[in-house]
């Protein structure tokens, strides 16, 4: 609850347009609906510029359905649902006409992608074929949020000429999302080549001492290149979201 | 070495202005000077928009001096040196007239801060008094790189009204650097309040099961709020650098 | 075996009402029944004010049945069984007429909840929808032990206005159980708002670097707010039990 | 900022006694003073019943002095400073006449302990002689907060008859703080003997695979006894504070 | 290959009874049979007093069968096979007439237990019902190796009077095997009560921060009681074997 | 992209045989084919002496098929595919006539093993029967790459005479691959006996505190014997590949 | 407090020789003296056959002195103090005439070693020169407790012939204490050669991934050889104590 | 002790030239001298082609001196001592005339480097200036062992053109030692460029989540490039030794 909203409500009270009790109730209650098991945030779009996103893991299909309905009925035009498996996707598709499933990214989308072409240019680079699902989660998230996305996949550092073949795409990027498992070296090399921010995503690809992505995570946090920040293991959504926030900074210059 | 540089050299060869051997030599040798113990990157400013920064830990004062000289003689107007302790700072101040020390941030600066006011608005928020040295490393780095920085310190979540008192500053930020040790909850709360990217910096402040900052690091990586990416423990420099890259995206719209 | 019991038995021996051998045997043998695979503690209610609770994991349905029978035949009016899955619940319901199952909390209850309204006021707050099963384990345990419980779910710190909407409930709490996965920041924020003890429960909700709840556990142990103590990951039972002990302190003032 | 305060301010606005701008300013600014490096919370006593405590580690003596002055000048009668080493204690004693040092607990106290006898009964039990400093931090904190404290030291489980010799003290406790390093078994045994809550404090006493207290911490979190909750390694202060909150629940029955 | 065997072979060579080449071959080849996938040690009984034991995990039923045949045909009267699941047990029972299965201990036995009563007295104590399978692995192993075993189960420290009820058995033990999961406190308490060696076995019983037995393992390694040594998590076999070696020391006094 | 290739292309440009644009395109594009989900490296054999190997885990059978086709159609005579399970192997065998499966090593081979006998002598030693699958991955990989391989299995250190029986084979080895799980001691003992390099492979064989091979990995990294280097847990392929590189050094003396 | 003592006291009460109150007091109080900071166990020798040992770390010299005085005045003829550094040793030597210091083992001894030759035969084997301090702690402890000790040092597995040169000593051992850092392989090899129990002691010798002895500890817990149990890192005392308990089993056959 | 030596001794016995007792004694005793605290291996050069190397850490200067004397008097012409600090170096230089110190590598050398030029070509590549001490340990070790070494320092992946400038050196290497701290990406990139084995050395350079080199170690173990094997953190000696073994394979073709 930021100070501006507070001031507006207080001004209404001062002007006699609102009683104190009503004001207190409104301030406490307004921005969400209470479903018991969840309190979907109906005002996030207003507050943060991006509508509420639903984390699908650990929720039943009917809980997800209930939250999506609350959000769309509350006026949110499009809803993104992350970490949706095939079974939940089938249930949701049956229950919600506007639901579409992107299996390669495990994402559900209610209300479709934005029609207009996305702004700016985000490059999503992935080190290996096995990293593609996480990379797609990042790429589709960024598209959902209104960005123009270019994919460069299987450009890991063991055959570095493959990365150099993407030099044009990298040179035009405003943000790069760099996705890698195993030793997680891709973001360091990319950050040494570009002049824009790199959002690094470690993946759980690997075995043995990769520890489910911990090695890649640690490597990225210790990057000797400047301009790298990191999200959680396999968090393609988080990287796509952060890249979108960054990309929109220059586009909305009056911020 | 990006494709554009390669094409220019090749064009010169094609035009007869350059022999093949000379071209190969130039491509391999140009962008650095070899001091034996180090190869300062003289072309980083041209390639990445920001000059080479010197990581001071594990280098002797005379090695740092040598690298700074190579960079300034190579044309880099200002050099930032990180993780400089008091003793090295004294040696460097004696050896390099243009050297200044910022002890609260353990930073050395050759050539001074930019004269003109910085662009945009970066807020550096710190959870506690003990986190201030890391926060200062981020703040001074961002100022060195030409940004306008606002500091909000001691705004940890245990007394959340203190954070809300910074609501105006947060609302005007283009990027927030959120610095915290212990349970590292500050970035999650901040990211729920603002609409811009948050760069989270865990610090080694704490004891026992804080494990030198690992707890704060893990908490930040698992933030339930979107729009948070993370740098290494105590890496104030990295956060300030990344925040600067992000902040400059909107300012240089022709990128 | 506390000193008071010892003194009573010794007094009986001194008075000639009990032989020494009988006394030794009684002291060693009395408070449990030996089923071979288990020794249900028939005297716990007398000794600790709360009857024996059965940890259901790693026991077969028939072992649980045997222990429940021994306890109820030994005079314990109600038995709580934790971590009961659906299959064991079905077996137990068939074997024990007084058995009821609470699937949302994975708890089995023999002999029903107390009829009279519970004492005091315990608030169980959960950060997200996925944390609800653990929160329910805490809430139903506390109800079983005779407490009045209020639930505030999906009040995680990323949308902190949802927590503030529970301000009335929090203000009236005598104990708060705060349940969260991921970065586990909820207990810190709650403890900064209330004047009563907070029992924090980390959950295994999350992925990647949440390490099955370890991140939330560590964050809670490092809370910068005072008045937080922590139980094991997903240990809703333990939190409900501890909250009940605390809540009953004021109610039984003659302790 | 709880709803009650908000309602009062709003009522004043509604009554015309306060302008909206003044109200917003008051809500945001009131409860702390801004020293730049710290924002001491002047209203914590009002909000949480216990005044602000100063975490001494990572702060300079002059920062601690400044915070103590701000708090006492802001009306807080007594200030507790934790983790104060000998050198800082000497500086503080020179600067603040009301400062007293308790070296065995590394605590500094401004304004003295409460004159009246403490309420209730808290037992602080420690497993070994090496655990005494942490136990003293808990005990003196509880005394500072107005509790009657009994100490039972060197009662580790390897010679369990020593613990049984404290049976009378344990039987009369309203809360037990159980302090142990190494294998951390004391809280489990104590919680099996008493009917009140146990707050467990792992210490860093030990070597090798004690990992600076991690083993004791993990053992306490996995206690097979009910009624145990845990604080951070060596966090005697946190345990004393939590025990005091619990102990005061029954004493202030109108809560 | 110890020096005594070497000397005997060398003596035979010196006496002309054995050529040098034959001697070298015998020394290198004698004590095992090579099945390609395994080299069963036919001379272990002669060398170490106990025949080869087969670790069943990670071997197919037919590999186990082959090894058992090689050992029994090589003259070993009884073979113990550890970590045999139900399916392998069925295959082995069909293939080897002398095979018997002890499912509660996951042990297979070829050739039966020794007929004569075992020597000495080993007590196997287990903290909880869920620890019984590991305790049985220890107990049956010790019986297989010719020891008299007494079982004391469900004697965990949370109800310490149950352990005291086993005082007679503990007082007569020559070795105690103490088995516990969760916080693993049982061996410390037992070792404080008895005058004989304690072999501690951590189990993977528990959840959350028990980390599959690591907490119990660490607690046992840090026991504040003397006379405790530890084996791997869930290694009931290893504890039973070590207890048997210790128990037989006094019985074979001419060692 | 090494300097020699660069010089050749540049020479062609200088000679007028190649335009600058064509040269840039060739340098960037030549060495791989872009399948979208993968970029098979068609020039690895030329660049590194060994053709591209396909990591089968995390790829679908049809992705593996596509990559194998691209490589063989690109002129690579034989393709090795690692970590292929039974199901993928069946699909690949149906799709690719030249595909053969080695289930004991989880390897797929397109185009068969080299016909001529391998060079040099690599010994693959495995500590136990359960380590054989990883050992076979190493052995078959080395055979695929043109080496003569000798296997010594079940030679773990607990019966060290079995290792000594392989003394002849070890004495003739040019490289030893030493494979072990559990405590991972085999490479240390082997390296103390031989005069050639040892490549150590930890396996995930074990339970409890073996932590899926971490214990063996750490032990091998800490070998007190010189001449040991280590690959990832269960990475039989990597060890076979490295051993082959080493073995071929002496055979191709003009390198 | 074992049942036998309890029965005796009870019998005295039954016979009228003791009042109930006196009996309760005696049972609770008897076996230790309360120094405030410590409760030295005066009856341990009676109860466990070995007198109280003082863990010197984390205690001041004057605390150690007080405990030693209480024990010797309580009738304990000899006192062992572990982990005594040079400074504390000097203080203790000045304060206690009977104090002697063994710097190579960091042990203090009050009252001297037993005069008569020790019983049985314990071999202490150490892998390297750097492990000698821990090995000496084990050896001197065992000598203090009345055992005959043979030392075999620098017999690590990288030059295994040095271990074989100790074959005679190993063959005559009743217990072996095997001490090693780094990869900790010595106990496995020893246990494969001998027929008696091996007590393994990991040391903190090593660097990097030895993690202060954790690697050696884990390796020893995962020994593929039977008959190995393990104590904490650097716990030479614990190993010597356990070896002594084992060794005395056969010597006191009437147990 | 390999079979060849055994056969020779046996042949002497067969021929009557040696008694059996003498043979046994010789086999057990010959290859080392027993100094009590150490058993220097006098036959390692004969057995493994490289003389005994002394690990200097954890040994006193006089112990090192004793071992060096034993080795040189035993006929070893040159001795390498690792991890020698300045103080020990001074003592050794005073005691041993033939001792020389290489402080940049913390190596002591008795008897000098080999006079003749080394064989083959080993490239030692280091990522940063702070990695140079470890790289020098590797380089000087390899020179001591008779190899021709080329150094390429400060060629980390964040400015990858600096690595490419070493393309000629890399192309001529028979082995590469790749040294890096932080994210440890250098070996992966190098192994993708060369056709020879890469020995990777992680260093403890870095801070925070570099965990003293663990991150670099894990990254190197998970290299997506083939042909990489790894040694312990900061183990420059081990890498130089392994590289020398590999390099000499081709040079001594009669092996």
């Amino acid at each position: 609850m930021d100070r501006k909203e507070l001031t507006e409500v207080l001004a209404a009270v001062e002007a006699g347009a609102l009683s104190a009790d009503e004001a207190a109730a409104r301030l406490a209650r307004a921005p969400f609906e209470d479903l018991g098991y969840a309190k979907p945030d109906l005002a996030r779009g207003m507050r943060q510029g991006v509508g509420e996103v639903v984390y699908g893991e650990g929720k039943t299909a009917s809980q997800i359905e209930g939250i999506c309905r609350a959000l769309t009925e509350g006026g949110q035009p499009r809803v993104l649902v992350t970490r949706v498996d095939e079974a939940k996707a089938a249930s949701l598709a049956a229950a919600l006409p506007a639901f579409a499933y992107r299996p390669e990214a495990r994402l559900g989308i209610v209300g479709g992608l934005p029609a207009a072409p996305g702004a700016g240019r985000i490059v999503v680079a992935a080190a290996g074929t096995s990293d593609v699902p996480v990379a797609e989660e990042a790429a589709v998230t960024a598209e959902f949020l209104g960005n123009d996305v270019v994919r460069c996949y299987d450009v890991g550092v063991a055959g570095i000429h493959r990365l150099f073949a993407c030099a044009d795409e990298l040179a035009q990027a405003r943000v790069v999302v760099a996705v890698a498992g195993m030793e997680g070296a891709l973001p360091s090399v990319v950050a040494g080549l570009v002049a824009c921010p790199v959002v690094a995503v470690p993946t759980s690809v690997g075995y043995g001492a990769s520890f489910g992505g911990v090695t890649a995570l640690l490597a990225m946090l210790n990057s000797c290149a400047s301009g790298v920040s990191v999200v959680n293991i396999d968090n393609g959504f988080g990287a796509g979201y952060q890249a979108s926030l960054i990309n929109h900074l220059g586009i909305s210059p009056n911020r």
Side-chain angles (χ1 to χ4, degrees), chain A:
Chain A
M1 194 188 326
D2 65 38
R3 190 170 173 165
K4 179 156 149 282
E5 289 177 74
L6 181 59
T7 305
E8 287 168 3
V9 170
L10 291 167
V13 174
E14 190 178 29
L18 199 67
S19 76
D21 274 357
E22 282 167 349
R26 183 179 304 178
L27 287 168
R29 191 198 57 218
F32 60 87
E33 177 171 343
D34 196 340
L35 303 176
Y37 57 84
K39 296 188 172 59
D41 188 345
L42 303 176
R44 185 166 296 183
M46 185 174 59
R47 196 173 74 245
Q48 302 200 291
V50 182
E52 173 88 297
V53 174
V54 184
Y55 174 64
E57 207 158 285
K59 294 196 179 77
T60 63
S62 71
Q63 288 176 329
I64 297 173
E65 181 195 337
I67 297 170
C68 288
R69 282 192 196 282
L71 289 169
T72 52
E73 288 165 9
Q76 186 170 316
R78 278 185 298 278
V79 183
L80 185 67
V81 190
T82 64
R83 302 194 161 238
V84 181
D85 61 29
E86 301 270 345
K88 285 182 191 169
S91 299
L92 289 167
L96 294 169
F99 181 89
Y101 187 51
R102 298 289 292 266
E104 78 285 5
R106 290 177 302 163
L107 292 172
I109 294 173
V110 179
L113 295 183
R121 177 72 67 89
I122 294 172
V123 169
V124 177
T129 301
S130 308
D131 300 313
V132 167
V134 175
E136 279 297 303
E137 192 186 65
V140 175
T141 293
E143 289 169 343
F144 176 89
L145 297 172
N147 300 277
D148 180 17
V149 176
V150 174
R151 289 153 171 90
C152 296
Y153 291 170
D154 201 18
V155 293
V157 301
I160 208 161
H161 56 294
R162 298 179 302 186
L163 176 62
F164 290 172
C166 298
D168 284 353
E169 287 78 6
L170 290 171
Q172 294 168 24
R174 287 172 50 87
V175 197
V176 177
V177 174
V179 182
M182 294 180 176
E183 82 271 60
L186 183 62
S188 291
V189 176
V190 167
L193 296 174
V194 300
C196 68
V198 174
V199 180
V201 192
T203 73
S204 53
V205 167
Y207 60 92
S210 82
F211 299 130
V214 170
T215 294
L217 169 64
L218 294 176
M220 292 172 182
L221 287 166
N222 284 281
S223 176
C224 58
S226 301
V228 177
S229 55
V230 187
V231 298
N232 196 1
I233 298 164
D234 289 338
N235 189 6
F237 161 72
Y241 188 101
Q242 180 77 322
S244 175
L245 282 187
I246 295 171
N247 188 34
H248 280 74
L249 269 190
I251 300 162
S252 322
N254 58 342
R255 264 195 55 84

